[in-house]
Each structure stands twice: as C-alpha cells, then as structure tokens.
Amino acid sequence: MTFAPVAVENGKLLIGGEWISTNKTFDTINPANEKKLASVSFAGAEDVDRAVNAARSALSTGPWAKMAPRERGRMLYKLADLIERDKERLAILESMDNGKPVGETMNFDIPQVIETFRYYAGWADKIYGDVNPISGDFFSYTLKEPAGVVAQIIPWNFPLLMAAWKLAPALAAGCTAILKPAEQTPLTAIELGKLVMEAGFPGGVVNILTGDGTTGAALSSHKGIDKIAFTGSTEVGRKVMIAAAQNLKRVSMELGGKAPNIVFADANVDQAVRGALLGIFFNQGEVCCAGSRLFLHKAVEAEFTEKFKKFAEGIRVGDPLDKKTQMGAQVSLEQYERVTGFLEAGKKGGAKVIAGGSGLREKLGGYFVQPTMFAETNQDMQIVKEEIFGPVVAAQSFEDLEDLVAKANDTNYGLSAGIWTSDISKAHTVARRIKAGTVWINCFNAFDTAVPFGGFKDSGFGRELGRQAMDLYTGEKAVWIGGLGK
Ligand code: NAP
Ligand code: MG
C-alpha cells in the first residue's frame, strides 16, 4: 500500500502568536524525488529580535506567567491529543520532507512525539523545591523556577521528535521557547506551531523560526535568551557554545556519535545480527547514536557477517510513502554526496565491501544509498574515525578484551554503545568501561521517554528525556528567612 502525498502549504514564521510571511524565502524539497514541496519564510536578525521580545514578554507578563502548573500540564495533554488527531497527516508530511519511510514515521516518530508531550505534561505539577536542612536562627528553602526564554536548535533526522524532546520539558517547566528547525525539514515544526496555538497556549510561549544557520547563529548570540538547547553536529555545537558565551547562557548539547557495537563469542548471533541491523540502518543511518563501528569476536565473525550480509541485501530501499519500504532517501544532496564520498573513501582505504557500497540516485531518482557493510576495517580508516550519518557500518574483529575496550573508547565521541553477550558479568563490566551516555546490552536503539539520553566527550553534555530534562529547563533559587530565634 502506498499513501497519497498530503497537501503542503508555504511556511510562515510563528512569532507572538501571529503567522508572519517574510520577503526572503527558501525551498524545502522531497529528497525521494528531488522536487520542491514548498517555499518557507526565512527568519533574519530582525525576526529573531521580535521572537525574543515576544517570548520574553510571554514569560514575564500575561497569562503564561500566572498560569498554574497543572494548567500548563493540561495544555500539553491537549497538544498531545491534537497531534494524535492529525497523526497520519503528520507522519506522511514528515516522510515527504525528510525522505524516511512512512512505516517509521507512523510507528515510531509520531507515537514517540505524542508520548513525549504526555510524559512531560505529567511533570508540570511535580516540580518540587527543597526545605534546606540548616539549623540556627534561619529557615531556608529552594524554589525551582523556569530557566527563562530558551532557544532550541534542532537537526533534520527526527524533525518533529527532536522538537518534542525540546519543547515538552521546556513548556512543562514554564519556560517560553523559540524553536529553530533545520532548513532541510521545516514543515512539521510549522504544523506543530499551528497545533500549539489550537491547544490554547498564549501567543509568544512558542515561537517557530524557520531559516538557516545564520538564524541559529543570531539566536545563539542573542542577549535576550537565557538558555540554548542544541542538537546537531559537534562542529556547529562548538560555534553555538562560543556565541552563547556572550551573555553566559546555559547550554545543553546533543551532538554526533560513532558508537561501538560489540559482539562477543558467547552472543546469540541471530539476535545480535537483528540488533546490529536496526542499530545502523534505522532511519537510513541518520541517527546520532547509530551503531556504526562493529566489533566482532573472531569466533563469530564469519557467521555474523554472512547473516548480516543476507539481511542487508534484502532491505527494501525506495518510495518512503510505500508502507513496505524499509529504507528511504538521505535527507539532501549534500548528505547524499557526503555518504557516497565515505563509500569511496572506504573502498580506497582498503576496507572490504560485504554488502552495498553504492549510491542509488541514478537508479531511483532520489538521494537513496545502498545499505552498506564494510569488513576488515581498522582504527586508522576514515570510515572508522568519522561520523558518516548514513547507512554504512564498518566492522573489525577482536580477540582480547583489553584491546577491544581500548579500541571501543578510541574515539572523540561518547554517545552510545552496544554489547551482545550471554555472560551477565561481562556485560556489566564492559558497560562500565565504555565511555558512552547510553549502553545497550542485548538490544540497540531502545528508547523510552523515562530514560535520559545524551553524551560524553564530543557527543555533548546535558541529558534529555526522563526527569533529567526538567533540570535543563529549571533553575534554583535559595530563599533565607532570618530572625526566627527572636
Ligand atoms: P548542523 O549543521 O549541526 O545543524 C543542526 C542545526 O544547527 C540546524 O538547525 C542548523 O540550521 C543549525 N545551525 C547551523 N549553523 C549554525 C550556527 N552557526 N549557529 C547556530 N545554529 C546553526 O547539522 P546538519 O547540517 O543538519 O548535519 C551535519 C552533520 O551533523 C551530520 O552529518 C551529522 O554528522 C551531524 N548530525 C547530528 C545529529 C544528532 O542528532 N546528533 C543530527 C543531525 C546531524 P540549518 O540546518 O538551517 O543550517
Ligand atoms: Mg525537505
């Protein structure tokens, strides 16, 4: 079954509850057929100023500032219900703008978006301060207050889900927000803005600024913003931190990854193969926590490789709106060229192609890439060192545990890792020794709104999801009362 495309309108900016068209616009395309979907308003520095003013006045005056926490929670529940009402249209639109299969947007992205808003709706009235344990003539308590006006800059790989991970906890905490979607995938953020207004959020609480990197840069350096939450590349993350230093904004960073996925000799090989396929090919490999470095114990290397190859070659790549499609298109020409460039680098560098190895643009008329496995790789190869952000896995073998741990940690990144073994003690030992924000044992790419997610090293800092995300969007104020002994 193939879904019909949905109608797409040109995109406007949402500032202070008003939809605004700008003279300058940019196009967003469908990467599966390279055709234009819509033109979208471009937010320049003046629009950033207006959005910051709108967010600041919504934070300090007006209904949002006085709203009871439980009422904020009700609004978030309402927003989740509206997304659920429109879930099919949103799933198709996401698929058209990003190139990912509709089966994934319907069964993963949009349900996770709804779940995220509901989860944080529940947190809105559960933000507690402390009574501080002091003695003497004083009494002291801690108030948890909203972090303030927050700018949230997100990437194109899970457009609506990244918007939900950012907005839901910020709104539950009582912040006001300016969301900057990636220029490749602005459409579902705009639809989310419409639903935010329909749910009854006061104007200025959520502002949506479509644009490009200069829009993100203007937000990062703006003195009227208190906090920045960024997801994207390490390189841009660094720039955002430097710009944010202007007024010492709080920052949280969710950046790239190059996860080791380790298969021990005592692993259930069939289970490990399934998990490794999901680990690298989910979402066309455009996943920061993808298991892109496979470490295979010599004893299972041959069996694993043969089984992995068979499944990888059977993956149905093609029309994202066909429900049977398992892998869609890379998001853009730039990304397509980047990934196919890595395929060439892998071959030239001496890695052995086990499956795939080529782009499919000419054959399929969009930015499609074959699911690819390289074997006989080593730590010095570019495909092992750098984040590819595509459906390309680089395998190497190991025998010695110390050597394995050293190689697994020999990366600038520290976002995630996978371990496949039936030895529970070994699993826990290795989990402790790998420097990564998430370690999956006998599973991969498992997610739940209640489990924190984030990185170490060049993968960033700060934890999204779980109760930890509430800490990103609240600040603490200590209050003292004296004279109690008199
Ligand atoms: P990116 O360039 O880091 O973009 C992420 C966000 O930052 C986008 O909204 C982008 O806007 C914005 N931005 C760009 N320049 C900025 C600046 N100077 N100041 C503030 N914001 C700025 O990532 P990308 O181009 O989408 O992808 C490049 C690489 O990043 C990928 O190949 C991958 O390695 C990594 N990546 C990681 C994740 C993750 O989840 N960890 C997600 C996506 C990409 P525009 O898109 O409008 O330029
Ligand atoms: Mg697009």
Side-chain angles (χ1 to χ4, degrees), residues 153-157 180-184 211-213 216-217 220 230-233 236 239-240 254-256 288 335 338 387-389 415:
I153 302 175
I154 57 172
W156 41 256
N157 56 339
K180 209 300 272 170
E183 64 191 280
Q184 297 86 348
D212 69 5
S220 306
F230 175 83
T231 298
S233 61
V236 175
K239 289 188 195 162
V240 170
E254 208 272 86
L255 309 174
C288 48
Q335 187 65 11
R338 183 180 151 83
E387 185 187 40
I388 299 176
F389 222 65
L415 192 56

Side-chain angles (χ1 to χ4, degrees), residues 6 79-98 100 102 105-106 109-111 113-114 117 159-160 187-195 321:
V6 293
L79 177 58
D81 290 346
L82 294 174
I83 297 167
E84 191 159 46
R85 179 195 70 193
D86 292 352
K87 64 180 183 231
E88 182 166 312
R89 196 170 57 84
L90 290 167
I92 295 171
L93 187 64
E94 191 80 307
S95 181
M96 289 164 65
D97 205 11
N98 169 280
K100 65 171 82 187
V102 75
T105 55
M106 280 188 187
D109 296 58
I110 308 300
V113 168
I114 296 165
F117 280 111
L160 199 53
L187 297 178
T188 49
I190 297 168
E191 292 305 306
L192 180 65
K194 292 178 191 166
L195 298 180
L321 293 187

Side-chain angles (χ1 to χ4, degrees), residues 27-31 37 96-99 183-187 331:
D27 292 344
T28 187
I29 60 141
N30 180 339
L37 287 169
M96 289 164 65
D97 205 11
N98 169 280
E183 64 191 280
Q184 297 86 348
T185 53
L187 297 178
V331 76

Side-chain angles (χ1 to χ4, degrees), residues 196-219:
V196 162
M197 297 316 294
E198 189 181 341
F201 286 88
V205 171
V206 174
N207 305 274
I208 314 264
L209 295 185
T210 43
D212 69 5
T214 60
T215 313
L219 284 166

